Structures are given as structure tokens and as C-alpha cells.
Amino acid sequence: MSDPDLELASRREIYQRIADTPGIHFRALLDDLEYAQGTLQYQLRWLADGDLIDVSDDGKYTRYYPAAEFDEADRTVMNALRREYSRRILAHLLTDGPLSTTELSDRLDKAQSTASWHLSKLAEADLVTKERDGRSVVYEVSDPDRVKYLYTVHRRSFTDKVVDRILGLWDSY
């Protein structure tokens, strides 16, 4: 890395963690790296101002990505994949979809209200489509190829063997 912005060891380490774990949020960076909160905030701002990282707000977390590697649609998918239950819902929909809220809540072993909340967030992000089928609502992944590709390429950074098993990736470990 000959970029002068990355000559500082702390900045280089922070950038490398973001490159290794695209979509990582601030608290996870703070937990993973042993820097003071102010130091981390300063270095992240420096990297963003230097156009080395992109910053994305998923509604709950501010997430960080290596610049120019992820377009807006990719960041939206990655933001969802970084949330455990959203990731699992997407995995079930990819393998067995379309599915209703009831079917998904049974598969997640969570209350229907929990599944419904995650599904509404995925629908707001245009990651799933919903269609009324009688009294139930059925969901389907909007762009399954993009979701599968991003999960497969970055699956080691998710450490979610449940989703790997659902998507048939278990044998790759």
C-alpha cells in the first residue's frame, strides 16, 4: 500500500479490517481493534474524507465499506446480510421461497412479530417483494443472484454456519 493515507499503522489496520469485513459497524470495529473511541472516529473520518472508505447508514448502524468496491445496491444487500435474522430470512427465501410470515417465523423459531419486523425492513430496502395470498403475505427475494453472490463472496466474514447449511455451503469449511 503506497497510498500516503495508509502510511500510519493504525489507519492501515482500520482500513484492512473494513476491507476484510465489508459492512462492519463502528461498535464492532471498536470491539475488534484496541483503539480509543476518539482515535477510531478520527481515523474513520480521515479514511472517508480521503475517499478510501464509503459510509452507509442502515437505519440502526453506520457501516463501513472499502471505497468503490460496492455500489449502493450492494451496500444495501450487505447491510441486511450483516444483521443475523435478516440474513437467515434471506437464506430461507433463497432456498425455499416464496414463504409466508408464518412459515418464516416457524423456520427462525421466532415470534411472527419478530419475523414480520425483519421482513418489513427488508421490504423497505427493496430486498424482498411481498404479495398478499388470501389472509397471508408471501415474500420473495427481489434480486436473488446479487444476494447469493455477495453472501458467497463474503461468507467467511459472517461466521454464520446456520445460513451456510441452509444455502448448502456447509461442505466448504
Side-chain angles (χ1 to χ4, degrees), residues 20-151:
D20 292 343
T21 317
I24 192 168
H25 60 83
F26 181 81
R27 183 60 59 190
L29 280 168
L30 197 58
D31 291 344
D32 291 351
L33 305 171
E34 295 186 11
Y35 295 113
Q37 184 171 333
T39 301
L40 182 59
Q41 289 170 326
Y42 175 81
Q43 297 300 351
L44 288 168
R45 194 169 30 255
W46 181 279
L47 290 166
D49 290 346
D51 294 324
L52 294 168
I53 63 170
D54 290 327
V55 180
S56 175
D57 184 358
D58 76 357
K60 184 175 181 181
Y61 294 107
T62 300
R63 297 186 180 278
Y64 302 95
Y65 294 89
E69 287 187 33
F70 295 85
D71 63 18
E72 188 64 34
D74 288 345
R75 287 192 299 267
T76 300
V77 171
M78 289 296 290
N79 287 349
L81 289 174
R82 288 277 167 225
R83 294 187 306 267
E84 178 183 2
Y85 288 104
S86 293
R87 181 173 57 247
R88 291 182 181 185
I89 287 170
L90 289 169
H92 283 292
L93 289 173
L94 286 170
T95 57
D96 302 322
L99 297 169
S100 70
T101 308
T102 303
E103 292 169 317
L104 284 164
S105 69
D106 289 344
R107 289 167 192 244
L108 295 172
D109 197 27
K110 292 288 178 187
Q112 272 191 310
S113 59
T114 301
S116 181
W117 185 87
H118 287 284
L119 285 161
S120 70
K121 295 299 178 189
L122 291 169
E124 286 172 18
D126 293 325
L127 295 176
V128 298
T129 58
K130 60 183 179 179
E131 189 173 311
R132 184 157 291 286
D133 182 21
R135 292 184 60 191
S136 64
V137 178
V138 176
Y139 294 86
E140 190 170 12
V141 177
S142 302
D143 188 351
D145 291 336
R146 182 186 300 262
V147 175
K148 285 179 195 175
Y149 173 77
L150 288 169
Y151 184 83

Side-chain angles (χ1 to χ4, degrees), residues 2-16:
S2 61
D3 191 327
D5 288 337
L6 295 175
E7 287 179 2
L8 193 60
S10 60
R11 197 172 298 145
R12 192 171 47 252
E13 183 180 19
I14 293 165
Y15 177 84
Q16 191 59 54

